[in-house]
Amino acid sequence: MTISTLSQQLREGNLFSKQCPSREILKHVTSRWGILILIALRDGTHRFSDLRRKIGGVSEKMLSQSLQVLEQDGFINRVSYPVVPPHVEYSLTDLGEQISEKLTLLADWIEINLPNILSRQEVE
């Protein structure tokens, strides 16, 4: 009997299946805005406007949609305070902390290897 690792099971298993629900989660987490939101929230709780300033180039609509999806997936806590003007804060859940740690490793790898990547792009 062969014991396989989780990564082997994922490579051979449902992740590649068209109907696998993990694909949708993967899409949410690895979207351009999803990654940046999850990494930005590693610094702690942020208000919507703080996140929008921190994540250059994201529209209000895309930030709102991405936050909503990540909240539905259980990666983000959203706390709304009943004041005028509205005050909403976002923070990571335990699951969000775990996935943002992995995404930070990926982002760090990209930053470290960026000169090499860019030089290869210039060759082609």
Side-chain angles (χ1 to χ4, degrees), residues 23-34:
R23 277 189 175 192
E24 198 64 23
I25 305 303
L26 186 64
K27 182 172 82 174
H28 299 163
V29 169
T30 60
S31 72
R32 175 188 343 180
W33 307 123

Side-chain angles (χ1 to χ4, degrees), residues 7-19:
S7 60
Q8 287 173 320
Q9 290 173 17
L10 290 173
R11 281 194 306 272
E12 299 166 1
N14 292 336
L15 186 59
F16 291 106
S17 170
K18 186 176 176 181
Q19 288 79 26

Side-chain angles (χ1 to χ4, degrees), residues 25-99:
I25 305 303
L26 186 64
K27 182 172 82 174
H28 299 163
V29 169
T30 60
S31 72
R32 175 188 343 180
W33 307 123
I35 287 176
L36 295 175
I37 290 166
L38 290 166
I39 291 173
L41 288 174
R42 287 183 60 81
D43 294 340
T45 301
H46 284 69
R47 293 179 69 176
F48 184 89
S49 56
D50 295 334
L51 281 171
R52 184 142 185 250
R53 275 191 298 276
K54 189 170 190 164
I55 303 171
V58 66
S59 69
E60 205 169 294
K61 178 182 176 183
M62 285 308 302
L63 181 57
S64 181
Q65 287 176 351
S66 299
L67 285 165
Q68 186 176 33
V69 166
L70 293 170
E71 181 188 6
Q72 290 170 350
D73 290 342
F75 297 123
I76 292 179
N77 283 318
R78 179 185 186 273
V79 177
S80 180
Y81 297 95
V83 294
V84 176
H87 180 95
V88 179
E89 294 182 338
Y90 297 92
S91 61
L92 295 174
T93 63
D94 289 340
L95 279 175
E97 288 282 350
Q98 292 173 40
I99 192 64

